[in-house]
Amino acid sequence: MLVHTLESVGLTVSGASLPLGGPKHRALLHYLALRANTVVSVDELLAALWDGPPPRTARKMVQNVVSELRTGIAAQEWYAPEGARPRRLSQVVLLTHGPGYVLRVDPDEVDALAFDRLGHDGMALLEAGAEAEAPHTLRAALALWPHATPAHGPAARWPERRRLERLREQLVRHLAAGAGTVLLLSTESRRGLADAGTAFGHEMRLAEEIRAQIDHQQGTVCTEFGSLRVAVFPEDPTTARPGLERARAAADAVRATLSAERRTTVTALLMPDRVIHGGRRRVPAAVVDEGLAALAATAPGTTRVHTSAAPAETAA
């Protein structure tokens, strides 16, 4: 049996929907499913199911709704797979426990709980730098909730539901991947500097000039490590100029400025048509590793366009 709560509330067995009743039945199942395997008191249910003070008969109404839901769950026996002996399945059980009720269910049988687990697993993989695995896990989570369906009725104010909606927004942002050009810039000063303080100030000025040129071309600096800068120029539909053109213009401007005024050698590597994470303009680690290897093979002081599928183009 599957318990659905994300886009619509329901129970299915072998693809067939089980009878549930009216809005209160669905709301109660929804709330218990979000807190599956946890005892939920009647008082908590009253607060969750009614926006204002519940009616005097609310407790009796909850008892009746639970009883009718149990009847629906018991209907599992009528939906056994074709050819199998009809039997009552036991994936979902609604129990009375002390002062309240508990929905006993395998968490993976509740779409909201499976979504929550996969979403957090994917985010953890992303933070750990597992760029190949993370998108797959995030997409598996969003496959359970493909449309941004808002909750209706009392569920719209439940903290448990709002937390899931925020998680979905986060996943969508991180999967908003798009094509763009990645730019790696390596700088090397050709003149000695008197002391460490002067050298530090010099590097800070270099960094400011590089950031200014990249920003002017609508790029974003993602990484600055010593003499290396990594930036991205996304293919922006609001901009007529392609990302590669803007990245080359930034690299040329940096080379012209620093080579003339600072006697600094600037080596630039352009990597067009790379997938970047749109929400954070994040360059995948695998792309950076590929770029570093190609940058090491690039003649100092040049700008080179690197692609994996075609010979590289080199410009002095």
Side-chain angles (χ1 to χ4, degrees):
M1 176 181 281
L2 297 176
V3 183
H4 305 278
T5 65
L6 294 174
E7 295 194 347
S8 62
V9 180
L11 296 170
T12 60
V13 174
S14 301
S17 297
L18 272 63
L20 279 184
K24 277 289 184 285
H25 297 71
R26 296 178 185 277
L28 188 143
L29 176 66
H30 189 172
Y31 193 71
L32 290 178
L34 292 180
R35 299 183 59 183
N37 303 308
T38 301
V39 177
V40 180
S41 71
V42 173
D43 288 339
E44 289 177 290
L45 286 172
L46 297 181
L49 299 180
W50 278 272
D51 291 327
R56 293 193 312 175
T57 58
R59 290 179 179 271
K60 183 62 177 176
M61 292 171 66
V62 167
Q63 290 176 4
N64 292 338
V65 167
V66 168
S67 176
E68 290 160 8
L69 276 176
R70 282 177 176 150
T71 299
I73 291 173
Q76 295 171 94
E77 61 184 291
W78 301 106
Y79 292 88
E82 185 177 355
R85 189 175 70 176
R87 59 188 179 88
R88 182 168 179 172
L89 306 178
S90 59
Q91 288 96 328
V92 181
V93 180
L94 179 52
L95 301 173
T96 301
H97 196 290
Y101 304 96
V102 58
L103 189 72
R104 296 291 184 200
V105 59
D106 181 342
D108 283 339
E109 298 294 316
V110 180
D111 60 357
L113 302 186
F115 168 82
D116 189 48
R117 177 181 61 79
L118 286 169
H120 282 99
D121 286 351
M123 292 301 299
L125 287 169
L126 192 63
E127 292 303 320
E131 302 290 349
E133 299 173 65
H136 175 76
T137 305
L138 296 179
R139 290 189 186 97
L142 286 173
L144 297 172
W145 196 355
H147 308 293
T149 308
H152 297 289
R157 58 178 171 78
W158 296 344
E160 296 86 355
R161 174 72 187 206
R162 291 203 302 268
R163 182 180 63 80
L164 290 174
E165 290 173 349
R166 288 194 296 271
L167 176 60
R168 186 185 187 281
E169 291 171 359
Q170 187 179 22
L171 304 192
V172 170
R173 284 198 305 272
H174 283 83
L175 276 176
T181 295
V182 176
L183 168 65
L184 280 76
L185 275 175
S186 176
T187 59
E188 182 180 355
S189 179
R190 291 184 290 181
R191 69 177 180 184
L193 297 172
D195 54 54
T198 304
F200 178 76
H202 176 70
E203 288 300 321
M204 290 296 291
R205 287 191 295 275
L206 289 183
E208 289 174 4
E209 291 181 12
I210 291 171
R211 284 195 295 267
Q213 296 295 349
I214 289 173
D215 183 66
H216 180 67
Q217 297 295 336
Q218 297 172 299
T220 302
V221 176
C222 297
T223 303
E224 292 182 286
F225 185 76
S227 61
L228 176 71
R229 275 87 186 176
V230 181
V232 296
F233 295 79
E235 297 298 342
D236 189 341
T238 65
T239 303
R241 298 170 66 209
L244 176 59
E245 181 181 326
R246 289 181 284 118
R248 186 191 290 276
D252 288 346
V254 169
R255 286 179 58 202
T257 301
L258 300 188
S259 296
E261 299 180 10
R262 301 285 187 262
R263 297 182 181 178
T264 300
T265 299
V266 179
T267 307
L269 182 73
L270 304 173
M271 304 173 68
D273 301 322
R274 292 312 196 272
V275 173
I276 58 175
H277 294 298
R280 291 161 55 179
R281 298 295 181 230
R282 191 165 182 259
V283 181
V287 173
V288 176
D289 290 343
E290 178 189 355
L292 290 174
L295 187 63
T298 301
T302 65
T303 297
R304 177 186 174 199
V305 178
H306 169 79
T307 61
S308 298
E313 167 197 344
T314 304

PDB file of all heavy atoms in Angstrom, residues 243-277:
ATOM      1  N   GLY A 243      27.497  32.930 -23.557  1.00  0.00           N
ATOM      2  CA  GLY A 243      28.388  32.859 -22.410  1.00  0.00           C
ATOM      3  C   GLY A 243      29.851  32.806 -22.825  1.00  0.00           C
ATOM      4  O   GLY A 243      30.709  33.437 -22.193  1.00  0.00           O
ATOM      5  N   LEU A 244      30.155  32.063 -23.899  1.00  0.00           N
ATOM      6  CA  LEU A 244      31.546  31.957 -24.355  1.00  0.00           C
ATOM      7  C   LEU A 244      32.084  33.322 -24.788  1.00  0.00           C
ATOM      8  O   LEU A 244      33.219  33.689 -24.475  1.00  0.00           O
ATOM      9  CB  LEU A 244      31.650  30.953 -25.505  1.00  0.00           C
ATOM     10  CG  LEU A 244      33.035  30.801 -26.144  1.00  0.00           C
ATOM     11  CD1 LEU A 244      34.071  30.359 -25.118  1.00  0.00           C
ATOM     12  CD2 LEU A 244      32.971  29.821 -27.312  1.00  0.00           C
ATOM     13  N   GLU A 245      31.275  34.090 -25.482  1.00  0.00           N
ATOM     14  CA  GLU A 245      31.705  35.417 -25.937  1.00  0.00           C
ATOM     15  C   GLU A 245      31.979  36.336 -24.751  1.00  0.00           C
ATOM     16  O   GLU A 245      32.981  37.071 -24.729  1.00  0.00           O
ATOM     17  CB  GLU A 245      30.623  36.020 -26.835  1.00  0.00           C
ATOM     18  CG  GLU A 245      30.968  37.396 -27.388  1.00  0.00           C
ATOM     19  CD  GLU A 245      29.850  37.965 -28.244  1.00  0.00           C
ATOM     20  OE1 GLU A 245      29.163  37.168 -28.927  1.00  0.00           O
ATOM     21  OE2 GLU A 245      29.655  39.199 -28.216  1.00  0.00           O
ATOM     22  N   ARG A 246      31.103  36.293 -23.742  1.00  0.00           N
ATOM     23  CA  ARG A 246      31.287  37.153 -22.577  1.00  0.00           C
ATOM     24  C   ARG A 246      32.502  36.711 -21.753  1.00  0.00           C
ATOM     25  O   ARG A 246      33.251  37.543 -21.226  1.00  0.00           O
ATOM     26  CB  ARG A 246      30.025  37.151 -21.718  1.00  0.00           C
ATOM     27  CG  ARG A 246      28.877  37.900 -22.390  1.00  0.00           C
ATOM     28  CD  ARG A 246      27.622  37.928 -21.533  1.00  0.00           C
ATOM     29  NE  ARG A 246      26.919  36.661 -21.546  1.00  0.00           N
ATOM     30  CZ  ARG A 246      26.712  35.893 -20.490  1.00  0.00           C
ATOM     31  NH1 ARG A 246      27.177  36.258 -19.301  1.00  0.00           N
ATOM     32  NH2 ARG A 246      26.048  34.764 -20.600  1.00  0.00           N
ATOM     33  N   ALA A 247      32.715  35.386 -21.647  1.00  0.00           N
ATOM     34  CA  ALA A 247      33.866  34.881 -20.905  1.00  0.00           C
ATOM     35  C   ALA A 247      35.169  35.270 -21.598  1.00  0.00           C
ATOM     36  O   ALA A 247      36.149  35.653 -20.953  1.00  0.00           O
ATOM     37  CB  ALA A 247      33.777  33.370 -20.765  1.00  0.00           C
ATOM     38  N   ARG A 248      35.185  35.192 -22.947  1.00  0.00           N
ATOM     39  CA  ARG A 248      36.396  35.568 -23.681  1.00  0.00           C
ATOM     40  C   ARG A 248      36.672  37.065 -23.513  1.00  0.00           C
ATOM     41  O   ARG A 248      37.827  37.481 -23.336  1.00  0.00           O
ATOM     42  CB  ARG A 248      36.254  35.223 -25.164  1.00  0.00           C
ATOM     43  CG  ARG A 248      37.541  35.471 -25.949  1.00  0.00           C
ATOM     44  CD  ARG A 248      37.294  35.391 -27.445  1.00  0.00           C
ATOM     45  NE  ARG A 248      37.008  34.043 -27.885  1.00  0.00           N
ATOM     46  CZ  ARG A 248      37.937  33.136 -28.177  1.00  0.00           C
ATOM     47  NH1 ARG A 248      39.210  33.433 -28.040  1.00  0.00           N
ATOM     48  NH2 ARG A 248      37.589  31.948 -28.600  1.00  0.00           N
ATOM     49  N   ALA A 249      35.607  37.872 -23.548  1.00  0.00           N
ATOM     50  CA  ALA A 249      35.787  39.316 -23.384  1.00  0.00           C
ATOM     51  C   ALA A 249      36.358  39.631 -22.004  1.00  0.00           C
ATOM     52  O   ALA A 249      37.230  40.497 -21.864  1.00  0.00           O
ATOM     53  CB  ALA A 249      34.455  40.035 -23.592  1.00  0.00           C
ATOM     54  N   ALA A 250      35.883  38.918 -20.986  1.00  0.00           N
ATOM     55  CA  ALA A 250      36.402  39.139 -19.630  1.00  0.00           C
ATOM     56  C   ALA A 250      37.872  38.743 -19.553  1.00  0.00           C
ATOM     57  O   ALA A 250      38.699  39.460 -18.974  1.00  0.00           O
ATOM     58  CB  ALA A 250      35.574  38.348 -18.619  1.00  0.00           C
ATOM     59  N   ALA A 251      38.209  37.587 -20.124  1.00  0.00           N
ATOM     60  CA  ALA A 251      39.598  37.120 -20.096  1.00  0.00           C
ATOM     61  C   ALA A 251      40.522  38.090 -20.836  1.00  0.00           C
ATOM     62  O   ALA A 251      41.621  38.418 -20.367  1.00  0.00           O
ATOM     63  CB  ALA A 251      39.697  35.724 -20.715  1.00  0.00           C
ATOM     64  N   ASP A 252      40.062  38.575 -22.000  1.00  0.00           N
ATOM     65  CA  ASP A 252      40.879  39.515 -22.764  1.00  0.00           C
ATOM     66  C   ASP A 252      41.077  40.817 -21.990  1.00  0.00           C
ATOM     67  O   ASP A 252      42.172  41.403 -22.001  1.00  0.00           O
ATOM     68  CB  ASP A 252      40.221  39.801 -24.113  1.00  0.00           C
ATOM     69  CG  ASP A 252      40.299  38.618 -25.071  1.00  0.00           C
ATOM     70  OD1 ASP A 252      41.090  37.693 -24.793  1.00  0.00           O
ATOM     71  OD2 ASP A 252      39.560  38.613 -26.079  1.00  0.00           O
ATOM     72  N   ALA A 253      40.018  41.276 -21.327  1.00  0.00           N
ATOM     73  CA  ALA A 253      40.128  42.525 -20.568  1.00  0.00           C
ATOM     74  C   ALA A 253      41.088  42.364 -19.393  1.00  0.00           C
ATOM     75  O   ALA A 253      41.889  43.262 -19.101  1.00  0.00           O
ATOM     76  CB  ALA A 253      38.744  42.955 -20.078  1.00  0.00           C
ATOM     77  N   VAL A 254      41.017  41.225 -18.724  1.00  0.00           N
ATOM     78  CA  VAL A 254      41.931  40.977 -17.602  1.00  0.00           C
ATOM     79  C   VAL A 254      43.372  40.920 -18.100  1.00  0.00           C
ATOM     80  O   VAL A 254      44.281  41.525 -17.507  1.00  0.00           O
ATOM     81  CB  VAL A 254      41.549  39.668 -16.873  1.00  0.00           C
ATOM     82  CG1 VAL A 254      42.639  39.265 -15.887  1.00  0.00           C
ATOM     83  CG2 VAL A 254      40.218  39.837 -16.149  1.00  0.00           C
ATOM     84  N   ARG A 255      43.592  40.202 -19.182  1.00  0.00           N
ATOM     85  CA  ARG A 255      44.951  40.095 -19.734  1.00  0.00           C
ATOM     86  C   ARG A 255      45.490  41.468 -20.127  1.00  0.00           C
ATOM     87  O   ARG A 255      46.634  41.819 -19.815  1.00  0.00           O
ATOM     88  CB  ARG A 255      44.952  39.177 -20.953  1.00  0.00           C
ATOM     89  CG  ARG A 255      44.816  37.694 -20.621  1.00  0.00           C
ATOM     90  CD  ARG A 255      44.795  36.864 -21.880  1.00  0.00           C
ATOM     91  NE  ARG A 255      46.003  37.074 -22.675  1.00  0.00           N
ATOM     92  CZ  ARG A 255      46.082  36.828 -23.982  1.00  0.00           C
ATOM     93  NH1 ARG A 255      45.040  36.394 -24.643  1.00  0.00           N
ATOM     94  NH2 ARG A 255      47.221  37.025 -24.620  1.00  0.00           N
ATOM     95  N   ALA A 256      44.663  42.261 -20.800  1.00  0.00           N
ATOM     96  CA  ALA A 256      45.118  43.569 -21.261  1.00  0.00           C
ATOM     97  C   ALA A 256      45.459  44.480 -20.087  1.00  0.00           C
ATOM     98  O   ALA A 256      46.498  45.156 -20.083  1.00  0.00           O
ATOM     99  CB  ALA A 256      44.046  44.215 -22.139  1.00  0.00           C
ATOM    100  N   THR A 257      44.608  44.480 -19.081  1.00  0.00           N
ATOM    101  CA  THR A 257      44.818  45.370 -17.936  1.00  0.00           C
ATOM    102  C   THR A 257      46.020  44.943 -17.103  1.00  0.00           C
ATOM    103  O   THR A 257      46.903  45.749 -16.808  1.00  0.00           O
ATOM    104  CB  THR A 257      43.562  45.398 -17.047  1.00  0.00           C
ATOM    105  OG1 THR A 257      42.458  45.852 -17.837  1.00  0.00           O
ATOM    106  CG2 THR A 257      43.745  46.328 -15.863  1.00  0.00           C
ATOM    107  N   LEU A 258      46.064  43.672 -16.724  1.00  0.00           N
ATOM    108  CA  LEU A 258      47.115  43.221 -15.819  1.00  0.00           C
ATOM    109  C   LEU A 258      48.471  43.114 -16.499  1.00  0.00           C
ATOM    110  O   LEU A 258      49.501  43.400 -15.886  1.00  0.00           O
ATOM    111  CB  LEU A 258      46.723  41.881 -15.198  1.00  0.00           C
ATOM    112  CG  LEU A 258      45.434  41.873 -14.366  1.00  0.00           C
ATOM    113  CD1 LEU A 258      45.284  40.540 -13.648  1.00  0.00           C
ATOM    114  CD2 LEU A 258      45.415  43.016 -13.367  1.00  0.00           C
ATOM    115  N   SER A 259      48.491  42.695 -17.744  1.00  0.00           N
ATOM    116  CA  SER A 259      49.769  42.559 -18.440  1.00  0.00           C
ATOM    117  C   SER A 259      50.430  43.919 -18.619  1.00  0.00           C
ATOM    118  O   SER A 259      51.649  44.064 -18.501  1.00  0.00           O
ATOM    119  CB  SER A 259      49.566  41.895 -19.804  1.00  0.00           C
ATOM    120  OG  SER A 259      49.082  40.584 -19.628  1.00  0.00           O
ATOM    121  N   ALA A 260      49.620  44.952 -18.914  1.00  0.00           N
ATOM    122  CA  ALA A 260      50.179  46.279 -19.163  1.00  0.00           C
ATOM    123  C   ALA A 260      50.552  46.990 -17.869  1.00  0.00           C
ATOM    124  O   ALA A 260      51.620  47.583 -17.760  1.00  0.00           O
ATOM    125  CB  ALA A 260      49.176  47.116 -19.953  1.00  0.00           C
ATOM    126  N   GLU A 261      49.676  46.945 -16.883  1.00  0.00           N
ATOM    127  CA  GLU A 261      49.861  47.757 -15.683  1.00  0.00           C
ATOM    128  C   GLU A 261      50.599  47.031 -14.562  1.00  0.00           C
ATOM    129  O   GLU A 261      51.231  47.666 -13.720  1.00  0.00           O
ATOM    130  CB  GLU A 261      48.512  48.238 -15.173  1.00  0.00           C
ATOM    131  CG  GLU A 261      47.761  49.108 -16.178  1.00  0.00           C
ATOM    132  CD  GLU A 261      46.423  49.568 -15.631  1.00  0.00           C
ATOM    133  OE1 GLU A 261      46.179  49.364 -14.428  1.00  0.00           O
ATOM    134  OE2 GLU A 261      45.636  50.121 -16.410  1.00  0.00           O
ATOM    135  N   ARG A 262      50.502  45.740 -14.506  1.00  0.00           N
ATOM    136  CA  ARG A 262      51.075  45.017 -13.372  1.00  0.00           C
ATOM    137  C   ARG A 262      52.178  44.054 -13.781  1.00  0.00           C
ATOM    138  O   ARG A 262      52.715  43.345 -12.963  1.00  0.00           O
ATOM    139  CB  ARG A 262      49.962  44.221 -12.642  1.00  0.00           C
ATOM    140  CG  ARG A 262      48.826  45.069 -12.110  1.00  0.00           C
ATOM    141  CD  ARG A 262      49.235  45.832 -10.862  1.00  0.00           C
ATOM    142  NE  ARG A 262      48.101  46.511 -10.268  1.00  0.00           N
ATOM    143  CZ  ARG A 262      47.818  47.786 -10.445  1.00  0.00           C
ATOM    144  NH1 ARG A 262      48.589  48.529 -11.232  1.00  0.00           N
ATOM    145  NH2 ARG A 262      46.783  48.342  -9.867  1.00  0.00           N
ATOM    146  N   ARG A 263      52.458  44.007 -15.076  1.00  0.00           N
ATOM    147  CA  ARG A 263      53.440  43.040 -15.570  1.00  0.00           C
ATOM    148  C   ARG A 263      53.127  41.637 -15.060  1.00  0.00           C
ATOM    149  O   ARG A 263      53.979  40.926 -14.555  1.00  0.00           O
ATOM    150  CB  ARG A 263      54.856  43.447 -15.156  1.00  0.00           C
ATOM    151  CG  ARG A 263      55.313  44.772 -15.728  1.00  0.00           C
ATOM    152  CD  ARG A 263      56.735  45.074 -15.317  1.00  0.00           C
ATOM    153  NE  ARG A 263      57.177  46.366 -15.835  1.00  0.00           N
ATOM    154  CZ  ARG A 263      58.372  46.880 -15.576  1.00  0.00           C
ATOM    155  NH1 ARG A 263      59.227  46.207 -14.815  1.00  0.00           N
ATOM    156  NH2 ARG A 263      58.709  48.044 -16.073  1.00  0.00           N
ATOM    157  N   THR A 264      51.873  41.293 -15.201  1.00  0.00           N
ATOM    158  CA  THR A 264      51.385  40.004 -14.701  1.00  0.00           C
ATOM    159  C   THR A 264      50.990  39.121 -15.878  1.00  0.00           C
ATOM    160  O   THR A 264      50.268  39.554 -16.776  1.00  0.00           O
ATOM    161  CB  THR A 264      50.168  40.200 -13.781  1.00  0.00           C
ATOM    162  OG1 THR A 264      50.569  41.014 -12.687  1.00  0.00           O
ATOM    163  CG2 THR A 264      49.646  38.876 -13.265  1.00  0.00           C
ATOM    164  N   THR A 265      51.467  37.900 -15.873  1.00  0.00           N
ATOM    165  CA  THR A 265      51.084  36.937 -16.899  1.00  0.00           C
ATOM    166  C   THR A 265      49.721  36.351 -16.541  1.00  0.00           C
ATOM    167  O   THR A 265      49.519  35.875 -15.421  1.00  0.00           O
ATOM    168  CB  THR A 265      52.119  35.795 -16.995  1.00  0.00           C
ATOM    169  OG1 THR A 265      53.379  36.352 -17.346  1.00  0.00           O
ATOM    170  CG2 THR A 265      51.701  34.770 -18.030  1.00  0.00           C
ATOM    171  N   VAL A 266      48.807  36.387 -17.475  1.00  0.00           N
ATOM    172  CA  VAL A 266      47.450  35.873 -17.252  1.00  0.00           C
ATOM    173  C   VAL A 266      47.208  34.733 -18.227  1.00  0.00           C
ATOM    174  O   VAL A 266      47.289  34.914 -19.448  1.00  0.00           O
ATOM    175  CB  VAL A 266      46.385  36.974 -17.456  1.00  0.00           C
ATOM    176  CG1 VAL A 266      44.990  36.399 -17.250  1.00  0.00           C
ATOM    177  CG2 VAL A 266      46.634  38.131 -16.510  1.00  0.00           C
ATOM    178  N   THR A 267      46.934  33.574 -17.699  1.00  0.00           N
ATOM    179  CA  THR A 267      46.591  32.407 -18.516  1.00  0.00           C
ATOM    180  C   THR A 267      45.119  32.099 -18.300  1.00  0.00           C
ATOM    181  O   THR A 267      44.659  31.998 -17.151  1.00  0.00           O
ATOM    182  CB  THR A 267      47.441  31.188 -18.119  1.00  0.00           C
ATOM    183  OG1 THR A 267      48.828  31.552 -18.162  1.00  0.00           O
ATOM    184  CG2 THR A 267      47.182  30.015 -19.058  1.00  0.00           C
ATOM    185  N   ALA A 268      44.358  31.980 -19.367  1.00  0.00           N
ATOM    186  CA  ALA A 268      42.918  31.789 -19.263  1.00  0.00           C
ATOM    187  C   ALA A 268      42.486  30.535 -20.014  1.00  0.00           C
ATOM    188  O   ALA A 268      42.982  30.262 -21.119  1.00  0.00           O
ATOM    189  CB  ALA A 268      42.182  33.006 -19.828  1.00  0.00           C
ATOM    190  N   LEU A 269      41.596  29.788 -19.400  1.00  0.00           N
ATOM    191  CA  LEU A 269      41.024  28.603 -20.042  1.00  0.00           C
ATOM    192  C   LEU A 269      39.511  28.776 -20.080  1.00  0.00           C
ATOM    193  O   LEU A 269      38.875  29.001 -19.045  1.00  0.00           O
ATOM    194  CB  LEU A 269      41.383  27.337 -19.267  1.00  0.00           C
ATOM    195  CG  LEU A 269      40.854  26.041 -19.893  1.00  0.00           C
ATOM    196  CD1 LEU A 269      41.657  25.685 -21.144  1.00  0.00           C
ATOM    197  CD2 LEU A 269      40.905  24.892 -18.896  1.00  0.00           C
ATOM    198  N   LEU A 270      38.943  28.682 -21.270  1.00  0.00           N
ATOM    199  CA  LEU A 270      37.496  28.799 -21.467  1.00  0.00           C
ATOM    200  C   LEU A 270      36.923  27.408 -21.720  1.00  0.00           C
ATOM    201  O   LEU A 270      37.405  26.686 -22.592  1.00  0.00           O
ATOM    202  CB  LEU A 270      37.192  29.706 -22.657  1.00  0.00           C
ATOM    203  CG  LEU A 270      37.788  31.114 -22.615  1.00  0.00           C
ATOM    204  CD1 LEU A 270      37.546  31.840 -23.922  1.00  0.00           C
ATOM    205  CD2 LEU A 270      37.212  31.896 -21.456  1.00  0.00           C
ATOM    206  N   MET A 271      35.897  27.045 -20.967  1.00  0.00           N
ATOM    207  CA  MET A 271      35.258  25.727 -21.107  1.00  0.00           C
ATOM    208  C   MET A 271      33.780  25.938 -21.415  1.00  0.00           C
ATOM    209  O   MET A 271      32.955  26.095 -20.513  1.00  0.00           O
ATOM    210  CB  MET A 271      35.435  24.913 -19.819  1.00  0.00           C
ATOM    211  CG  MET A 271      36.892  24.752 -19.395  1.00  0.00           C
ATOM    212  SD  MET A 271      37.059  23.975 -17.775  1.00  0.00           S
ATOM    213  CE  MET A 271      36.488  22.313 -18.125  1.00  0.00           C
ATOM    214  N   PRO A 272      33.407  25.965 -22.698  1.00  0.00           N
ATOM    215  CA  PRO A 272      32.001  26.223 -23.053  1.00  0.00           C
ATOM    216  C   PRO A 272      31.112  25.004 -22.862  1.00  0.00           C
ATOM    217  O   PRO A 272      31.578  23.866 -22.766  1.00  0.00           O
ATOM    218  CB  PRO A 272      32.098  26.596 -24.533  1.00  0.00           C
ATOM    219  CG  PRO A 272      33.310  25.872 -25.023  1.00  0.00           C
ATOM    220  CD  PRO A 272      34.270  25.828 -23.874  1.00  0.00           C
ATOM    221  N   ASP A 273      29.810  25.290 -22.810  1.00  0.00           N
ATOM    222  CA  ASP A 273      28.780  24.232 -22.781  1.00  0.00           C
ATOM    223  C   ASP A 273      28.958  23.265 -21.625  1.00  0.00           C
ATOM    224  O   ASP A 273      28.799  22.051 -21.772  1.00  0.00           O
ATOM    225  CB  ASP A 273      28.763  23.452 -24.105  1.00  0.00           C
ATOM    226  CG  ASP A 273      28.492  24.346 -25.298  1.00  0.00           C
ATOM    227  OD1 ASP A 273      27.659  25.268 -25.152  1.00  0.00           O
ATOM    228  OD2 ASP A 273      29.114  24.153 -26.355  1.00  0.00           O
ATOM    229  N   ARG A 274      29.257  23.817 -20.458  1.00  0.00           N
ATOM    230  CA  ARG A 274      29.331  22.986 -19.256  1.00  0.00           C
ATOM    231  C   ARG A 274      28.042  23.149 -18.461  1.00  0.00           C
ATOM    232  O   ARG A 274      27.409  24.208 -18.479  1.00  0.00           O
ATOM    233  CB  ARG A 274      30.528  23.375 -18.381  1.00  0.00           C
ATOM    234  CG  ARG A 274      31.889  23.055 -18.986  1.00  0.00           C
ATOM    235  CD  ARG A 274      31.942  21.632 -19.521  1.00  0.00           C
ATOM    236  NE  ARG A 274      33.276  21.133 -19.776  1.00  0.00           N
ATOM    237  CZ  ARG A 274      33.927  21.296 -20.915  1.00  0.00           C
ATOM    238  NH1 ARG A 274      33.393  21.984 -21.893  1.00  0.00           N
ATOM    239  NH2 ARG A 274      35.129  20.774 -21.074  1.00  0.00           N
ATOM    240  N   VAL A 275      27.653  22.104 -17.760  1.00  0.00           N
ATOM    241  CA  VAL A 275      26.459  22.162 -16.918  1.00  0.00           C
ATOM    242  C   VAL A 275      26.852  22.745 -15.566  1.00  0.00           C
ATOM    243  O   VAL A 275      27.803  22.283 -14.931  1.00  0.00           O
ATOM    244  CB  VAL A 275      25.828  20.771 -16.738  1.00  0.00           C
ATOM    245  CG1 VAL A 275      24.697  20.826 -15.727  1.00  0.00           C
ATOM    246  CG2 VAL A 275      25.319  20.260 -18.076  1.00  0.00           C
ATOM    247  N   ILE A 276      26.136  23.756 -15.160  1.00  0.00           N
ATOM    248  CA  ILE A 276      26.383  24.376 -13.857  1.00  0.00           C
ATOM    249  C   ILE A 276      25.093  24.326 -13.062  1.00  0.00           C
ATOM    250  O   ILE A 276      24.004  24.216 -13.611  1.00  0.00           O
ATOM    251  CB  ILE A 276      26.870  25.835 -14.000  1.00  0.00           C
ATOM    252  CG1 ILE A 276      25.848  26.658 -14.777  1.00  0.00           C
ATOM    253  CG2 ILE A 276      28.210  25.893 -14.688  1.00  0.00           C
ATOM    254  CD1 ILE A 276      26.179  28.122 -14.879  1.00  0.00           C
ATOM    255  N   HIS A 277      25.213  24.391 -11.743  1.00  0.00           N
ATOM    256  CA  HIS A 277      24.026  24.396 -10.888  1.00  0.00           C
ATOM    257  C   HIS A 277      23.486  25.814 -10.847  1.00  0.00           C
ATOM    258  O   HIS A 277      24.070  26.706 -10.249  1.00  0.00           O
ATOM    259  CB  HIS A 277      24.365  23.897  -9.488  1.00  0.00           C
ATOM    260  CG  HIS A 277      24.759  22.451  -9.461  1.00  0.00           C
ATOM    261  ND1 HIS A 277      23.887  21.456  -9.838  1.00  0.00           N
ATOM    262  CD2 HIS A 277      25.916  21.845  -9.148  1.00  0.00           C
ATOM    263  CE1 HIS A 277      24.496  20.287  -9.736  1.00  0.00           C
ATOM    264  NE2 HIS A 277      25.727  20.498  -9.326  1.00  0.00           N
TER     265      HIS A 277
END
